[in-house]
Amino acid sequence: MDIHEYQAKEILKSFGVTVPDGALAYSPEQAAYRAREMGGNRWVVKAQVHAGGRGKAGGVKLCSSDHEILDVCSDMFGMKLVTHQTGPEGKGVYRVYVEAATAFDREIYLGFVLDRSSQRIMIVASAEGGMEIEEISATRPDSIVRQTVEPAVGLRDFQAREIAFALGIPAELTQQMVRTLQGCYRAFTDLDATMVEINPLVITSDQRIMALDAKMTFDTNALFRHPQISELRDKSQEDPRESRAADRGLAYIGLSGNIGCIVNGAGLAMATMDTIKLAGGEPANFLDIGGGATPERVAKAFRLVTSDKNVQAVLVNIFAGINRCDWVAEGVVQALKMEPVDVPVIVRLAGTNVEEGQKILAKSGLPIIRANSLMEAATRAVTAWKNDTAQNTKLRAAK
Ligand code: GDP
Ligand code: MN
């Protein structure tokens, strides 16, 4: 789960990281009011969206009066901010963060990520801050410092000092840098984060180490332990297809193709999508119905998968181990009788009681396309999608 910059800054501040003074606003009037309240004469107005790259996209503006803040905010509020991280549809701006502007000498990149190959938290830093890490690793790969943290002992001060040294932080600021690194590390581990990124971390003109930006992502599987983090969820920033599924206890991932996938198990979902691609198609999404396949659950799955307008065929791929194919088949038949689906449905069953399952599908009288192997199912789904598309095009042409 992602959170907003202002929320990440509040968290990091409580772990000892220095951040600028700031105030959140839900309207242009509030932004101007809160800037006056804060005082000073230069502010940065920052669109709060779950994506980086706001600076280049017009989501970060320097202002020198409350009138200017009002103007800037009138354009920002309600806009769909499109950055290189949002995709072409952008993300809605409904909150802005107004901060006291900071004068700085240097920008540093600092990131904490899970390094899956070493199974440890990895600190990634670069003296070339301000740029995105992808850009840094393409243009100045030698400037990147990497350190993994031994989980049994945590981040040691000497390691933090080594990072400070490698970044060329002036000796008199080493202690501040160590405190910043330790604060981020503790926030990461205490709150079950999967990513903490500060870009830029700056050395201010008055020689303080300060986080000018902050991004945190949390492990959704550990959220139950942190109700105060769950509360920070902002649904306006999520893919509506995915939040609908999450609210119904289904694991759903939205993609951009035309074939909807209902499967049991994430591994099978990966294999299903690979096979669809191999057969010349593109998955629109996948939904993992997990172990149970009651008619209600299957109906819910169909409803979700087909609510995506791009879906032109649905492939159901079930491997029944603990589950039983006849139960799943019964679930599919009842679900389609309850709520007919207006795109071709392809079903492939394998595992326990597969013959009984096939019989139930065959006897149902429903136009279900059956397949025995995954390759056959994927090929049929791609063919069905292409025929369906061709037919729709003809219909539109005829109108
Ligand atoms: P991002 O583009 O979404 O990563 O947003 P950032 O918060 O990183 O802001 C983009 C850029 O704006 C930063 O890299 C800074 O160079 C600049 N910036 C942000 N806050 C301030 C500030 O208080 N003072 C100054 N001078 N520049 C700032
Ligand atoms: Mn940034």
Side-chain angles (χ1 to χ4, degrees), residues 9-212:
K9 280 178 167 164
E10 197 173 305
I11 291 172
L12 292 174
K13 188 180 173 184
S14 72
F15 281 89
V17 176
T18 308
V19 296
D21 284 336
L24 185 70
Y26 290 92
S27 70
E29 295 71 27
Q30 197 170 40
Y33 175 81
R34 300 214 70 182
R36 277 198 301 273
E37 195 179 48
M38 208 180 338
N41 50 25
R42 269 169 87 72
W43 301 272
V44 187
V45 176
K46 309 181 81 174
Q48 296 301 291
V49 292
H50 287 181
R54 295 164 303 165
K56 287 192 186 113
V60 177
K61 300 266 180 175
L62 211 63
C63 295
S64 337
S65 73
D66 54 350
H67 292 291
E68 206 180 338
I69 292 178
L70 210 54
D71 269 359
V72 161
C73 285
S74 308
D75 293 336
M76 240 181 228
F77 270 101
M79 82 184 284
K80 290 271 179 201
L81 190 67
V82 180
T83 82
H84 68 95
Q85 286 185 1
T86 59
E89 66 286 353
K91 298 231 164 171
V93 181
Y94 308 107
R95 309 175 194 190
V96 306
Y97 195 46
V98 185
E99 275 187 337
T102 308
F104 55 82
D105 297 341
R106 271 187 61 187
E107 292 182 285
I108 292 157
Y109 175 91
L110 180 60
F112 290 67
V113 290
L114 268 179
D115 178 42
R116 291 178 197 279
S117 59
S118 64
Q119 304 179 7
R120 289 176 181 191
I121 294 171
M122 183 185 267
I123 303 174
V124 183
S126 166
E128 309 284 320
M131 281 191 272
E132 304 297 328
I133 188 66
E134 294 82 1
E135 205 179 329
I136 302 171
S137 63
T139 58
R140 293 287 316 276
D142 48 306
S143 78
I144 298 178
V145 179
R146 290 187 183 83
Q147 285 261 10
T148 52
V149 182
E150 161 61 53
V153 293
L155 177 63
R156 310 314 296 167
D157 277 357
F158 81 84
Q159 248 187 321
R161 282 194 297 272
E162 261 174 27
I163 294 169
F165 185 73
L167 293 171
I169 305 274
E172 60 278 17
L173 296 181
T174 307
Q175 255 334 296
Q176 280 191 49
M177 188 62 189
V178 171
R179 200 177 63 223
T180 304
L181 288 163
Q182 291 288 14
C184 293
Y185 179 76
R186 277 203 301 117
F188 191 113
T189 52
D190 286 9
L191 301 174
D192 290 308
T194 53
M195 198 264 301
V196 173
E197 187 187 60
I198 301 182
N199 188 27
L201 179 74
V202 298
I203 300 180
T204 64
S205 308
D206 57 359
Q207 301 302 294
R208 287 182 298 157
I209 301 228
M210 190 182 261
L212 279 205

Side-chain angles (χ1 to χ4, degrees), residues 217-229:
T217 305
F218 296 90
D219 182 352
T220 39
N221 292 317
L223 270 183
F224 71 94
R225 302 205 282 204
H226 308 288
Q228 76 283 19
I229 303 294

Side-chain angles (χ1 to χ4, degrees), residues 274-342:
D274 281 350
T275 316
I276 287 174
K277 288 207 166 211
L278 198 63
E282 287 286 338
N285 50 41
F286 78 79
L287 191 146
D288 179 358
I289 53 168
T294 60
E296 289 74 23
R297 203 170 165 81
V298 177
K300 241 193 242 178
F302 270 111
R303 219 178 295 144
L304 250 156
V305 164
T306 54
S307 68
D308 180 341
K309 285 184 289 297
N310 290 327
V311 169
Q312 282 157 350
V314 177
L315 171 53
V316 181
N317 185 20
I318 302 288
F319 180 82
I322 299 167
N323 221 319
R324 281 172 36 186
C325 287
D326 49 334
W327 292 345
V328 177
E330 199 59 57
V332 170
V333 169
Q334 287 191 32
L336 292 179
K337 283 187 173 160
M338 260 158 41
E339 285 177 53
V341 165
D342 60 0

